[in-house]
Amino acid sequence: MFKDKVVVITGAGSGIGRELALQFADAGARLALSDINQAGLDQTLAMIAAKPGVTARGYALDVASSEAFFAHAKDVQRDFGTAHYIVNNAGATIFGTVEHTSIEEFEWQLGVNMWGVLYGTKAFLPMMLAQKEGCIVNISSVFGLLAFPTQSAYNMSKFAVRGLTEALWSELAGTGVRAVCVHPGGIRTNIGRTGRSCAAATDVDVQFARQADDLLRTPPEHCAADIIRGLRKGSNRIITGNKAGTMFWMTRLFPNSYPRLLRLLA
């Protein structure tokens, strides 16, 4: 399914992005990998270089810049001819209550997680539609299924990714291009360890954020394997990671009262 296909992955310098790159490489894909962190990206490329017969190129990319992302799509088309998969994986997080998180901090969060996904979708969709083949894989979160205290900016971004992707389900019907929404939950990646706190965060904010951190238990390689398995099965929605299934059904069964149940998950 992935042999000789061009797979574009953002945020490939660590975590889920790196593991996806390694596993797509094992499946025979040709890889266009990007990250804002050049050192992390170089490490991923070095790991892939150890695999015989794999074609991979690295690109420095700030996904929050529309100009940079559309230029990246042109670079990929120049270097590989086209793209068959775009995995909009790059992400960041900031914690703090709505009261304590500034507008500028919301804008930073949405710039990476929401606008970055839209830019990636818009940049690569035209070539996929032209060839009547392609797949847009957008990484949302279980926090795109339910809202978690002190994660309001992150929640906003991930709910937006979900809404965008689910709209594409209908819009792309019959085009040969499909969209997949991934909801990882509790994945042990850098996003949990390096997440920013808002400048005005209080001890209460930190306490709630630690509850979210306690959920980070699933290795990213397991998440990447679930994503690739879901793509092979043709799934439109992929739910993976610690407590992810529980959170999904919690919102389905208790849509109005689930906030009272969240404290039991940590």
Side-chain angles (χ1 to χ4, degrees):
M1 180 174 177
F2 305 116
K3 178 70 173 175
D4 294 326
K5 300 297 183 181
V6 178
V7 178
V8 183
I9 305 173
T10 66
S14 64
I16 297 170
R18 172 177 289 174
E19 292 300 331
L20 280 170
L22 294 171
Q23 294 185 34
F24 273 119
D26 290 338
R30 302 164 64 206
L31 302 172
L33 308 178
S34 66
D35 205 290
I36 197 170
N37 181 342
Q38 187 65 52
L41 181 60
D42 289 343
Q43 290 175 359
T44 301
L45 290 169
M47 296 168 74
I48 290 173
K51 298 176 180 292
V54 178
T55 300
R57 293 181 66 102
Y59 305 83
L61 176 64
D62 176 3
V63 299
S65 166
S66 61
E67 182 177 303
F69 220 139
F70 279 85
H72 176 55
K74 291 181 180 179
D75 289 343
V76 170
Q77 192 167 35
R78 176 200 65 209
D79 295 338
F80 290 89
T82 189
H84 301 98
Y85 293 82
I86 168 67
V87 184
N88 288 307
N89 165 75
T93 186
I94 188 168
F95 71 83
T97 62
V98 175
E99 176 187 5
H100 297 141
T101 305
S102 70
I103 291 295
E104 292 76 16
E105 288 167 331
F106 271 100
E107 289 174 341
W108 171 80
Q109 175 72 101
L110 296 175
V112 177
N113 288 9
M114 183 187 75
W115 288 109
V117 171
L118 178 61
Y119 297 154
T121 299
K122 290 285 288 181
F124 285 93
L125 180 58
M127 68 181 79
M128 293 181 177
L129 289 173
Q131 66 197 12
K132 296 182 171 57
E133 178 188 359
C135 184
I136 299 166
V137 183
N138 290 335
I139 307 297
S140 178
S141 167
V142 289
F143 289 173
L145 297 170
L146 56 74
F148 198 91
T150 72
Q151 298 286 330
S152 55
Y154 189 77
N155 286 143
M156 284 181 66
S157 68
K158 295 303 186 178
F159 270 83
V161 169
R162 174 187 173 188
L164 169 67
T165 312
E166 292 185 13
L168 288 170
W169 291 350
S170 299
E171 293 180 3
L172 295 177
T175 66
V177 182
R178 65 191 182 106
V180 177
C181 195
V182 182
H183 296 278
I187 310 301
R188 195 169 62 241
T189 68
N190 286 341
I191 196 170
R193 293 191 295 271
T194 62
R196 294 167 48 179
S197 62
C198 68
T202 67
D203 290 342
V204 175
D205 295 340
V206 173
Q207 182 179 356
F208 274 118
R210 284 174 178 166
Q211 290 181 19
D213 288 344
D214 288 341
L215 298 172
L216 305 178
R217 299 176 184 175
T218 301
E221 59 267 28
H222 293 180
C223 174
D226 284 344
I227 293 170
I228 290 178
R229 189 178 303 112
L231 292 176
R232 291 188 184 278
K233 291 168 60 178
S235 302
N236 285 341
R237 189 192 311 281
I238 300 170
I239 297 174
T240 174
N242 181 44
K243 300 294 196 303
T246 300
M247 291 186 183
F248 174 77
W249 285 109
M250 185 184 296
T251 61
R252 296 283 178 161
L253 299 173
F254 307 102
N256 297 318
S257 59
Y258 74 77
R260 295 199 299 268
L261 303 176
L262 285 175
R263 69 191 64 184
L264 302 177
L265 292 179

